[in-house]
Amino acid sequence: MVEEHKEIQHKTQEADVFRTKVFGIQDGLIGVGSIALGAAGFSHDSLIVLITGLIATIAQAFSMGVGEFISTRVRMQVFNNEIRKESYEIEHYPEKEKDELIAFYREKGFSHEESKRIAEILMGNKNVVLNEMLIHELKIFPEEFERPIRLGLIMALYLIIGGLIPLIPFTFDVVFRIGFDVSLISSVLLILLTLSIFGYLSTNYTGLPKYRGALEQIGTGLLALIGSYLAGYALSLVFAVPTGLF
């Protein structure tokens, strides 16, 4: 029986958006979560943890969203500048670009005559030549990169989602008095569960085994959370929360 061919789907065009989503959710879960657990270790007060976490979520959403926008925008400006320079060379120095094309195809194993023939055909279309130069000479693939504003908004949105998740149990404690210890344990479990889900889903892009994707996220997240809680607790032995602050 002939095995049916299964088409392999490539995910490179989605990589930038997925990277931004992962960074956003991780910064929220681990970044805000670590701050919240540090505050928990220091204060053992759900209201202090909740307020600290909300401030951290808002601040990081602005910071990371703007940072993602700026970094993506600058990267695209660099690429566009290189594209303009390459277009200028193709327009004003066609023979030089033709020689470069010949060299590219010679490196791929074509004979000199074959490479020259391919280069002569391609030189009839400047857009095709530009694309070849971007790929072979500059290693630029502009179609892979999303718009800066979109990536900035995605980063901010996913960071807010990730930042609010660790605070849910502490919110319940403030409103319904479920107990600080229950809130603390529930927050950690929520963070690890969400990280494991994202780690599992990320294997569709990374190619790692699904269990490994989940465990890597859980391991790194747990290390940050435990370290932050212990640091907060250690600080509580040195500094005391003023009585009547809340």
Side-chain angles (χ1 to χ4, degrees), residues 53-219:
L54 288 174
I55 293 172
T57 299
I58 295 169
Q60 287 205 39
F62 277 110
S63 174
M64 297 301 295
V66 171
E68 182 68 19
F69 165 76
I70 292 174
S71 64
T72 305
R73 185 168 177 266
V74 169
R75 180 173 55 180
M76 288 309 300
Q77 287 173 338
V78 171
F79 290 157
N80 288 332
N81 186 47
E82 292 300 318
I83 291 171
R84 283 193 295 270
K85 289 191 289 186
E86 194 62 43
S87 297
Y88 180 86
E89 289 184 340
I90 293 171
E91 182 68 31
H92 293 84
Y93 307 105
E95 287 303 316
K96 173 180 174 295
E97 299 303 297
K98 179 181 173 182
D99 290 340
E100 290 182 1
L101 283 175
I102 293 173
F104 295 152
Y105 295 113
R106 288 284 288 152
E107 290 178 2
K108 290 180 178 293
F110 292 98
S111 68
H112 179 76
E113 288 302 318
E114 291 171 331
S115 299
K116 183 178 179 181
R117 188 159 58 250
I118 294 172
E120 288 173 346
I121 293 172
L122 294 181
M123 289 302 294
N125 189 323
K126 294 178 181 178
N127 289 330
V128 174
V129 176
L130 176 61
N131 189 64
E132 288 293 289
M133 289 299 177
L134 294 181
I135 294 173
H136 296 295
E137 182 180 10
L138 303 178
K139 313 299 181 185
I140 293 176
F141 304 88
E143 69 276 4
E144 293 181 7
F145 301 103
E146 291 285 334
R147 290 171 293 181
I149 293 178
R150 181 170 182 246
L151 288 181
L153 291 174
I154 290 174
M155 170 67 78
L157 175 62
Y158 274 79
L159 193 146
I160 290 171
I161 293 172
L164 292 178
I165 288 174
L167 305 179
I168 293 173
F170 296 105
T171 304
F172 271 85
D173 187 34
V174 170
V175 177
F176 302 109
R177 300 298 177 186
I178 62 175
F180 178 81
D181 291 339
V182 173
S183 301
L184 178 62
I185 294 172
S186 299
S187 180
V188 173
L189 292 177
L190 268 177
I191 294 171
L192 296 181
L193 176 62
T194 310
L195 283 173
S196 69
I197 292 172
F198 256 77
Y200 180 90
L201 294 175
S202 70
T203 59
N204 292 326
Y205 297 84
T206 63
L208 293 174
K210 295 189 181 299
Y211 76 90
R212 182 177 170 184
L215 289 178
E216 283 186 357
Q217 293 291 323
I218 291 173

Side-chain angles (χ1 to χ4, degrees), residues 29-43:
L29 288 167
I30 299 178
V32 176
S34 296
I35 292 172
L37 261 68
F42 179 80
S43 68

